[in-house]
Amino acid sequence: MRALDAKLLRDLRRIWAQSLAIALVLACGVAVLVLAHGTQTTLSQTRDAYYERNRFADVFASATRAPEQLTEEIARIDGVAQVQTRISKQVILDMEGMVEPAMARLVSLPVAGAPVLNVPLVRAGRLPDPLRPDEVALSAPFARANDLRAGDSFRAILGGRMRELTVTGLLLSPEFIYTISPGTMIPDDRRFGIIWMGRAAAAAAFDLEGAFNDVALRLTRGASVDAVIAALDDLLAPYGGTGAQGRDGQMSHAFLQGEMDQLAAIAVVLPPIFLIVSAFLVNMVLGRLIAQERAQIGLMKAVGYRTGEIGWHYLKMSAGIGVGGVLLGWGVGFWLSGLMTGLYAQYFSFPYLVPVPSTWAFAVSAAMGLAAVLVGALRAVARMVRLSPAEAMQPPAPPHFRRGWADRLGETLRLRQTSMMILRSILRWPGRAAVTLLGVAASVSVLVASFFSFDAMDVVIDEAFFQTNRQDVTLVLASARGTDVLQDALALPGVMQVEAGFSTPVRLSAGPREDLVSLEAHGPGDQLVRVLDQSGRAVAMPPQGLLLPDTLAAELGVRPGELLQVEFLAPPRETHMIPVSAVTRQSLGQAAHMSRAALFELMRVAPQVNRINVTFDGHALADLYARVKETPAISGVLLWSDLRRQLTAQIEQNLLTMVFAYSVLGILITVGVVYNAARIQLSERAHELASLRVLGFSRAEVGFVLVGEIMVLTLAAVPVGWVLGYAFAALTAGGLSTELVSIPLVVSVRTYATAALIVVVSALVSALMVRRRLDRIDIVSALKQKE
Amino acid sequence: MSQTEDSGKPVYRAVGLTKVYGSGAAEVHALRGVDLELFEGERVVLLGASGSGKSTLLNILGALDTPTAGQVFFRDRELTKLSDRALTAFRRDHVGFVFQFYNLVPSLTARENVALVTEIARAPMRPEEALERVGLSARLDHFPAQMSGGEQQRVAIARAIAKRPDVLLCDEPTGALDSKTGVQVLEVLVSVNEDLGTTTALITHNMATRKIAHRVIHLADGLVAKVERNDAPVPPAQVSW
Ligand SMILES: Nc1ncnc2c1ncn2[C@@H]1O[C@H](COP(=O)(O)OP(=O)(O)OP(=O)(O)O)[C@@H](O)[C@H]1O
Ligand SMILES: [Mg+2]
């Protein structure tokens, strides 16, 4: 080995703890990038392959009842490659051993063969025989959650009749990678599933012979989705079409896409923080090392080493740290992306989900990681390499202290001399103090930005499940009814309170912008389902006009007072111009709201109900559910109290892991920064500190000078970190918000406090670790040292 | 081997060397027009009071530093015209340095400290051979911290001679050593000069040491005050300290 390389390895070994601290910070950045981007790649590649192979449709639409002959006309729409018509209905199930009713989406299979679009994948058993009306296949996650296998049977209410159905097989479908019952946003495989049934049997059950109520299209390459949707809407309008949607309006796709966008946001926000901190750390540590080796550098120049060769020597050292960090980050990132993929496999039903190493993430993270350490090194190296050899071999001029305002301040405050030493040292090396301060602030900010996601989640859940929806159960009616059904509902066993609900699909448009949402009616005294204003308080419905969630209003570009075009997609299928009267807050889902009286006046019909919100007395639960299951008018049930319980349990289960993971990130930065800063302090001031010991200062007093300076900087960094953290949280909130979930920017006091506490404690521990070395310093040899 | 101005060719020729450090009120004239020649194979001792400009002169001859004015010729080349890169190459190929404080790389062993230079030299000795010359064959794998001052200085000399330099420039090589060790180091330097014919210039504060030289150059206040010739140099062992 070349002598210089031997020196390199030995130097690295000598400063291993510092190198390791830097490598760990760097590794965090690399790992987060590999994790987020790798997982995203895995999801998107798997999804794309799955979509392609199983021919996931591009456009989806439903109607009430469209004649089969319409199929040909749809196929003739410019840009349509394939058409798949079918029957699709929401149904209630009566599962063995389950008191509460379960729900399913029933989807028909073609009379002969497999569907041409959204082709299901048979995981076990076979597709149902089209000639046997009682045979169905089930979505695999639902079957698994309910312990159903091919050959088992269960009961469902189809078209008002309780039927015994036999399971022939378990399927997966690109349409139902993420399965949630409409209105809840939370997957629950036990209570919601997909049923596939032969077309003839489904038609018979729902009285849809010779007709369809659902259609999916695959488009030719380059076709305009909007144009096809417009044409399809025209064709379906007479048959109760409620507005076609592209993939972005398809639940499963939209959720998956949202998840991938979130991963992308994480990959953009977090890694740069770690990389920048690493660059500063390398600069700090290498700068110190080079200053210590000043004479050696002079010597190398004297004996004829070229400036480039010496510079390269030190760059290689930082590259060594960089390579270590990158490799570690790769390993950890890939390993975590495996875990993460496993986690996704629980929520998303893919036929397979194997971590795909993202070459891009590996390459980019390595390039950025190495660039960070090299840029950090470059400055330190450049400064020293410029010295002439004769100059370099002389010891550097002693640091220059000047009396200034700090000294007067110290005198006024009657600071002890040891405190003055702290103050002067910070002012003497402001650059290093700034690096320490910013590094610590960065860790506070990473923690704030991470813990913020819990705050946001708390708000979203509290809003959606405790403030907005306060009912125990929502009964979804098969079709709209008069308000007298409320009396029937009140008569159900255990029911204490009922409230009318009505929602209807509309297309909102403002100029060129438009969105398909549901319009919900609210009565003046509604207590169970409420709308919140932007500060989270329940609002009283204005007598006229629309209430829009802020994100939807922003998307449409309308403000209160402006008019919005509202096209009713269900009868009476009219279009009205309605003013926006206020903007509200809704984190989960997007719906427009209106006063019930105003809405039905506009529709020119007597008030109607298509969902009933209910609170009940827990004792009569079994009776109530039994009645619900046998009531044909009820096509769906949303069990809010169960959801609440489930959610809370889920969050508690994951909370600790998440807090732990985020804390590790924050702690690593703090330790990296503080440990290095303290070590450098120690090596630079060993002489001075040893002199204090000679003068009779105790270990504790001398330790105070070292630890005190670090802690002063740490405490100063905390508020800076809070501000930075809030900014990152704002950035993250933007990145994490999707069509379906808008993340509110709320940071709790608890988050600020926890972040500060974690950072201050880890800074203290790191500084004390270095202090222990101070205790071990040999006073005599420290005094003898030239420098 | 005794060479003089009449018989030898100059290796170095310096004309009107001036060196000014700092500027304005803080200006220090370290050299004020030094003319000087060093001849092939000769052994020169530089004497002078502290601050007289000895180190400055030696550093300029060795291309560690550049003069403010004046010219330095090495054989036929004018060093004062060379670029930084060319000066580095010049040091690499022609000059060996020995300093008062040894300047060894603490993280490298004796052998590796020598190898540091042989790895970039054109026709070097093996590090082991160089260390044997200075009597350190038994210390090849010791780190600087494990050696005495005299041993460290001998490693530094081995490092300086391993590339078979044309000139050896020594700035107070015995300055940090006791007399016995100092004599050992001088013996090594003299033997290198005699065996390899390496032109050697040596700064010292020890008046007695001048007896080992062929010529003694006295510096005072940044000028050459006097040049003495010594036709009968004595071996270091006979120099009384
Ligand atoms: N880098 C520098 N900056 C400013 N002045 C310098 C520098 N180096 C040397 N000097 C000054 O130049 C003069 C000559 O210094 P030089 O080191 O050559 O003296 P010297 O003869 O080697 O002395 P000594 O015997 O003490 O080593 C001195 O006055 C010194 O203070
Ligand atoms: Mg000197």
Side-chain angles (χ1 to χ4, degrees):
Chain A
M1 195 184 345
R2 294 185 43 112
L4 266 188
D5 294 330
K7 168 176 176 323
L8 184 85
L9 286 182
R10 286 185 198 132
D11 284 347
L12 271 178
R13 202 180 317 150
R14 188 162 51 85
I15 57 165
W16 71 268
Q18 287 169 271
S19 311
L20 180 70
I22 300 176
L24 284 177
V25 175
L26 188 65
C28 284
V30 171
V32 170
L33 188 63
V34 168
L35 163 65
H37 195 269
T39 312
Q40 192 201 350
T41 308
T42 302
L43 287 180
S44 74
Q45 287 193 2
T46 310
R47 180 193 70 177
D48 292 347
Y50 189 24
Y51 278 2
E52 192 54 40
R53 196 145 36 115
N54 291 54
R55 296 198 291 276
F56 182 56
D58 295 309
V59 170
F60 303 80
S62 37
T64 330
R65 181 195 179 95
E68 195 55 51
Q69 298 88 295
L70 201 62
T71 316
E72 279 169 36
E73 277 185 66
I74 294 174
R76 278 202 298 271
I77 295 176
D78 199 25
V80 171
Q82 280 168 308
V83 183
Q84 176 72 61
T85 63
R86 57 188 183 178
I87 291 166
S88 171
K89 282 278 186 182
Q90 185 167 289
V91 298
I92 287 193
L93 313 179
D94 178 22
M95 306 305 294
E96 189 118 9
M98 206 160 106
V99 183
E100 68 272 26
M103 263 167 59
R105 168 135 307 263
L106 182 143
V107 177
S108 73
L109 290 168
V111 179
V116 292
L117 294 182
N118 305 323
V119 183
L121 194 77
V122 181
R123 292 321 295 265
R126 56 170 175 83
L127 290 178
D129 183 340
L131 297 176
R132 313 204 32 182
D134 293 331
E135 283 192 358
V136 293
L138 292 180
S139 54
F142 175 75
R144 217 177 304 119
N146 285 288
D147 203 19
L148 288 172
R149 272 169 266 260
D152 293 349
S153 55
F154 65 97
R155 287 182 305 168
I157 300 156
L158 306 184
R161 281 180 42 223
M162 183 73 86
R163 296 262 298 272
E164 180 95 12
L165 301 174
T166 306
V167 181
T168 62
L170 310 186
L171 312 184
L172 289 180
S173 159
E175 241 184 314
F176 304 110
I177 294 173
Y178 191 75
T179 327
I180 48 171
S181 73
T184 58
M185 317 296 284
I186 311 290
D188 178 359
D189 285 334
R190 217 160 89 80
R191 299 195 185 82
F192 186 80
I194 311 297
I195 298 178
W196 282 267
M197 182 182 234
R199 174 75 174 261
F206 299 104
D207 206 12
L208 282 169
E209 276 100 349
F212 63 90
N213 71 351
D214 194 273
V215 60
L217 310 179
R218 197 164 159 91
L219 306 188
T220 54
R221 199 177 291 277
S224 152
V225 179
D226 291 339
V228 171
I229 286 177
L232 182 60
D233 281 347
D234 285 348
L235 286 179
L236 287 177
Y239 308 103
T242 50
Q245 288 193 305
R247 283 182 174 179
D248 51 0
Q250 205 262 351
M251 260 313 164
S252 161
H253 178 88
F255 260 95
L256 194 50
Q257 187 62 49
E259 204 60 42
M260 284 162 32
D261 292 347
Q262 293 183 3
L263 287 171
I266 290 172
V268 170
V269 175
L270 277 184
I273 304 179
F274 290 95
L275 295 179
I276 290 170
V277 172
S278 323
F280 278 116
L281 288 183
V282 166
N283 183 268
M284 198 161 86
V285 169
L286 213 61
R288 171 61 191 157
L289 186 80
I290 287 175
Q292 272 177 321
E293 296 194 347
R294 197 181 153 105
Q296 295 179 40
I297 292 171
L299 174 94
M300 284 192 266
K301 286 189 165 184
V303 301
Y305 275 91
R306 278 187 222 100
T307 301
E309 289 171 314
I310 302 169
W312 175 230
H313 170 68
Y314 287 100
L315 285 184
K316 266 202 287 193
M317 181 165 233
S318 71
I321 298 175
V323 167
V326 166
L327 288 179
L328 189 66
W330 276 1
V332 172
F334 191 60
W335 173 66
L336 285 178
S337 113
L339 291 189
M340 188 96 158
T341 306
L343 204 67
Y344 277 123
Q346 282 178 23
Y347 293 98
F348 294 105
S349 310
F350 285 102
Y352 60 88
L353 195 59
V354 206
V356 183
S358 154
T359 330
W360 185 91
F362 280 120
V364 167
S365 62
M368 298 205 318
L370 288 178
V373 291
L374 289 181
V375 165
L378 222 47
R379 260 176 47 94
V381 171
R383 211 174 328 129
M384 188 48 75
V385 155
R386 274 199 302 271
L387 288 178
S388 88
E391 219 180 319
M393 270 187 294
Q394 285 168 1
H400 213 74
F401 287 99
R402 252 199 317 250
R403 283 185 60 82
W405 58 268
D407 302 78
R408 287 192 290 279
L409 179 77
E411 274 159 29
T412 326
L413 295 178
R414 295 178 171 279
L415 286 185
R416 300 171 67 97
Q417 284 313 306
T418 39
S419 306
M420 278 311 295
M421 285 174 73
I422 292 177
L423 196 60
R424 281 214 192 94
S425 149
I426 291 177
L427 295 173
R428 172 62 189 79
W429 286 283
R432 188 178 316 138
V435 169
T436 309
L437 191 137
L438 283 181
V440 174
S443 27
V444 175
S445 74
V446 164
L447 288 175
V448 169
S450 305
F451 291 145
F452 145 74
S453 60
F454 301 121
D455 294 338
M457 201 158 66
D458 271 357
V459 170
V460 169
I461 287 170
D462 179 62
E463 217 174 80
F465 296 91
F466 294 92
Q467 303 297 328
T468 307
N469 292 293
R470 312 202 301 170
Q471 68 276 42
D472 291 324
V473 166
T474 297
L475 304 174
V476 182
L477 304 184
S479 55
R481 300 290 199 88
T483 42
D484 48 338
V485 290
L486 293 175
Q487 290 312 310
D488 301 346
L490 203 51
L492 289 171
V495 169
M496 305 193 303
Q497 198 180 354
V498 295
E499 215 172 79
F502 180 81
S503 79
T504 187
V506 293
R507 176 181 285 121
L508 303 180
S509 33
R513 310 187 191 185
E514 54 173 51
D515 212 342
L516 229 47
V517 298
S518 68
L519 175 58
E520 296 180 355
H522 298 267
D526 281 4
Q527 283 304 309
L528 299 183
V529 176
R530 308 188 303 177
V531 180
L532 305 180
D533 67 13
Q534 278 180 300
S535 57
R537 278 186 301 265
V539 288
M541 269 300 135
Q544 293 296 329
L546 289 173
L547 296 187
L548 289 188
D550 44 9
T551 37
L552 183 57
E555 219 177 281
L556 291 167
V558 290
R559 268 172 302 193
E562 295 177 355
L563 282 178
L564 204 54
Q565 177 180 310
V566 182
E567 180 186 351
F568 287 82
L569 297 170
R573 304 198 74 90
E574 291 169 344
T575 302
H576 298 276
M577 296 301 291
I578 307 178
V580 176
S581 29
V583 168
T584 65
R585 183 150 108 190
Q586 185 172 3
S587 303
L588 275 190
Q590 306 264 280
H593 308 272
M594 202 171 169
S595 132
R596 181 179 302 135
L599 176 62
F600 289 111
E601 196 185 307
L602 210 64
M603 291 171 69
R604 293 189 308 279
V605 291
Q608 293 181 338
V609 177
N610 60 11
R611 36 180 58 210
I612 304 173
N613 300 307
V614 168
T615 60
F616 56 67
D617 173 4
H619 298 301
L621 213 63
D623 291 341
L624 173 71
Y625 287 154
R627 287 284 298 283
V628 166
K629 286 176 191 171
E630 63 197 28
T631 308
I634 299 174
S635 72
V637 194
L638 308 181
L639 308 171
W640 293 96
S641 0
D642 280 357
L643 275 174
R644 268 171 224 133
R645 219 171 305 125
Q646 215 178 304
L647 255 181
T648 320
Q650 227 174 55
I651 289 168
E652 265 166 24
Q653 188 194 333
N654 295 333
L655 194 66
L656 217 64
T657 329
M658 302 281 281
V659 169
F660 177 76
Y662 287 140
S663 305
V664 166
L665 293 184
I667 289 173
L668 280 180
I669 301 189
T670 312
V671 172
V673 172
V674 170
Y675 183 77
N676 273 308
R679 281 299 297 269
I680 288 172
Q681 284 258 356
L682 178 63
S683 89
E684 226 161 43
R685 304 176 72 187
H687 185 87
E688 190 178 319
L689 299 177
S691 315
L692 286 181
R693 295 276 287 125
V694 174
L695 295 179
F697 282 86
S698 72
R699 290 209 157 116
E701 284 163 332
V702 176
F704 168 76
V705 175
L706 185 76
V707 177
E709 177 172 343
I710 296 287
M711 291 321 287
V712 164
L713 290 174
T714 300
L715 291 178
V718 165
V720 180
W722 283 342
V723 173
L724 281 179
Y726 187 81
F728 286 133
L731 222 76
T732 332
L736 295 187
S737 290
T738 66
E739 285 259 303
L740 302 165
V741 185
S742 87
I743 305 285
L745 181 55
V746 278
V747 183
S748 70
V749 173
R750 189 190 55 192
T751 288
Y752 286 127
T754 318
L757 187 72
I758 290 178
V759 166
V760 170
V761 168
S762 33
L764 190 62
V765 170
S766 317
L768 289 176
M769 252 153 58
V770 176
R771 210 214 98 150
R772 280 189 32 215
R773 298 186 145 258
L774 178 66
D775 292 346
R776 273 185 269 130
I777 268 191
D778 174 4
I779 301 178
V780 178
S781 73
L783 281 179
K784 265 198 214 149
Q785 257 174 27
K786 268 195 297 172
E787 200 207 0
Chain B
M1 199 162 42
S2 130
Q3 287 174 347
T4 64
E5 295 134 271
D6 324 312
S7 63
K9 260 190 332 181
V11 183
Y12 271 116
R13 194 157 60 83
V15 186
L17 280 188
T18 309
K19 178 76 183 181
V20 184
Y21 288 110
S23 60
E27 226 172 61
V28 178
H29 291 260
L31 298 178
R32 309 164 179 269
V34 170
D35 298 321
L36 152 137
E37 286 179 322
L38 295 186
F39 296 94
E40 202 79 65
E42 78 170 335
R43 210 154 61 223
V44 172
V45 163
L46 289 167
L47 283 175
S50 186
S52 56
K54 305 182 297 292
S55 297
T56 305
L57 177 61
L58 208 69
N59 286 345
I60 291 175
L61 292 180
L64 290 182
D65 213 344
T66 48
T68 314
Q71 291 165 299
V72 181
F73 295 91
F74 179 80
R75 301 216 165 110
D76 299 327
R77 269 200 291 171
E78 184 182 346
L79 295 186
T80 32
K81 269 192 182 157
L82 296 183
S83 69
D84 186 58
R85 208 181 164 75
L87 287 177
T88 303
F90 166 72
R91 291 199 298 269
R92 180 189 286 221
D93 295 335
H94 302 288
V95 191
F97 288 101
V98 179
F99 303 100
Q100 180 179 1
F101 292 108
Y102 336 132
N103 275 323
L104 298 181
V105 175
S107 57
L108 296 180
T109 61
R111 191 207 310 257
E112 288 165 343
N113 260 291
V114 178
L116 190 65
V117 170
T118 59
E119 279 166 359
I120 57 167
R122 267 204 215 135
M125 314 174 186
R126 287 180 305 107
E128 293 78 4
E129 190 186 336
L131 285 163
E132 198 191 323
R133 278 208 151 272
V134 300
L136 282 180
S137 294
R139 289 274 188 273
L140 292 180
D141 294 319
H142 285 59
F143 285 93
Q146 299 165 324
M147 290 185 280
S148 74
E151 285 168 334
Q152 290 186 53
Q153 191 58 300
R154 282 188 282 158
V155 173
I157 294 173
R159 186 177 63 189
I161 61 167
K163 67 165 123 174
R164 306 179 201 276
D166 296 312
V167 291
L168 194 54
L169 305 177
C170 313
D171 193 344
E172 298 187 47
T174 57
L177 304 173
D178 64 40
S179 61
K180 187 161 159 273
T181 329
V183 167
Q184 280 175 9
V185 165
L186 287 181
E187 273 172 341
V188 170
L189 288 174
V190 168
S191 81
V192 166
N193 170 256
E194 286 179 350
D195 299 354
L196 306 176
T198 313
T199 310
T200 305
L202 188 148
I203 294 177
T204 181
H205 277 287
N206 186 315
M207 290 297 280
T209 306
R210 72 178 190 277
K211 291 181 186 154
I212 68 161
H214 299 127
R215 276 198 307 147
V216 181
I217 299 175
H218 293 264
L219 280 166
D221 239 352
L223 284 168
V224 176
K226 168 168 83 161
V227 179
E228 282 177 289
R229 280 181 52 178
N230 179 8
D231 289 330
V234 303
Q238 291 171 26
V239 172
S240 62
W241 288 55

